[in-house]
Amino acid sequence: MISVLLLGCLSLLVFWFHASSTEQVYFFSAREDNLYENPANWSPAYPGTHIREEEKIVLRGMVYITDYKLNIAGSMDLGLGSTLYALAGDVQIGATGQLTNRGELMVNRLINEGKINNSASGKIDVMEYTALPGAYTHNGPEAAFITAGNLHNQGVFNNYNLCKVRGKLINEAVFNMLPGSRLLLRNEAGKWEVIEKELPSSIQQPTSGIMGLDD
């Protein structure tokens, strides 16, 4: 019996080691300048602009992306106190992708098919945000999610703190206002309207439910 248990534990360890060792992690540290596309800023190598499922990029410091699209099929970690600027470029989180933000993300368009965790004191400040069907957005306590244009949600958006939409909020799926959260929308007169409980009846919310990052 003991030998069977030991064999089972050994098999799990081998599986865990294999699974964890298959993920390639790339670190950005701004050693030479702040440009994402400069290979000298990366270790062990420059990952390119298409991050595959088995890859992860870890960004520290100030990072600039020029006018191209960054596609994340794997994962991206923007650390506390770090900033990613892509004011003329887009960032797309694929269906298998995940973005964890504890810094400040400032991009032209942010498109989400996977999962976004805007946590701690993270700030996402974008021109437009589109969450496609199946996407999950977590705007955690003390975090802020701001759009200069429209926020188009077709997935699940859980708002725990501040969400500010300067354009239109187009909700076609689930937008949850959790306790302590605030939603700022412009009314027809151009003034800010603060919503702290439920979405206005004019904004459709056909279903409800809360999911987590591990769901």
Side-chain angles (χ1 to χ4, degrees):
M1 180 65 179
I2 295 176
S3 61
V4 173
L5 289 173
L6 288 174
L7 182 61
C9 291
L10 181 60
S11 299
L12 286 173
L13 285 172
V14 170
F15 174 79
W16 175 85
F17 178 79
H18 175 73
S20 61
S21 63
T22 57
E23 183 180 61
Q24 175 64 58
V25 182
Y26 300 89
F27 296 91
F28 181 96
S29 57
R31 287 180 295 182
E32 188 169 285
D33 53 34
N34 300 109
L35 295 179
Y36 178 97
E37 61 266 36
N38 184 355
N41 294 322
W42 290 91
S43 61
Y46 173 56
T49 58
H50 184 86
I51 308 305
R52 296 185 292 270
E53 287 187 43
E54 68 278 8
E55 296 178 330
K56 177 179 182 178
I57 56 173
V58 178
L59 307 178
R60 297 294 183 265
M62 190 172 294
V63 189
Y64 286 96
I65 293 177
T66 51
D67 60 351
Y68 52 83
K69 179 182 284 188
L70 180 61
N71 292 283
I72 308 294
S75 59
M76 178 168 75
D77 184 315
L78 184 60
L80 186 67
S82 301
T83 305
L84 174 62
Y85 291 99
L87 301 182
D90 301 338
V91 174
Q92 180 158 0
I93 310 300
T96 58
Q98 180 166 322
L99 163 64
T100 300
N101 177 47
R102 290 166 291 158
E104 185 172 9
L105 180 69
M106 300 182 69
V107 302
N108 179 37
R109 287 193 308 162
L110 179 59
I111 304 162
N112 182 23
E113 296 180 82
K115 295 179 179 179
I116 291 180
N117 181 18
N118 193 33
S119 63
S121 57
K123 181 181 180 182
I124 292 178
D125 193 344
V126 299
M127 285 298 296
E128 292 187 0
Y129 177 63
T130 301
L132 298 173
Y136 172 64
T137 309
H138 173 90
N139 189 41
E142 300 183 16
F145 202 110
I146 301 169
T147 65
N150 296 341
L151 189 158
H152 189 180
N153 178 51
Q154 297 176 290
V156 174
F157 193 115
N158 286 341
N159 184 35
Y160 286 85
N161 193 39
L162 172 64
C163 181
K164 185 176 182 180
V165 182
R166 295 188 179 95
K168 292 183 179 180
L169 171 58
I170 305 166
N171 183 50
E172 297 179 336
V174 181
F175 194 106
N176 290 309
M177 294 289 294
L178 283 305
S181 65
R182 291 176 298 146
L183 174 63
L184 274 65
L185 301 174
R186 284 193 185 275
N187 58 27
E188 294 181 355
K191 295 183 179 180
W192 288 107
E193 179 180 355
V194 181
I195 300 165
E196 296 182 333
K197 292 184 179 180
E198 297 179 354
L199 293 183
S201 58
S202 59
I203 301 175
Q204 295 183 3
Q205 189 177 15
T207 57
S208 62
I210 300 174
M211 64 178 286
L213 282 174
D214 297 327
D215 291 351

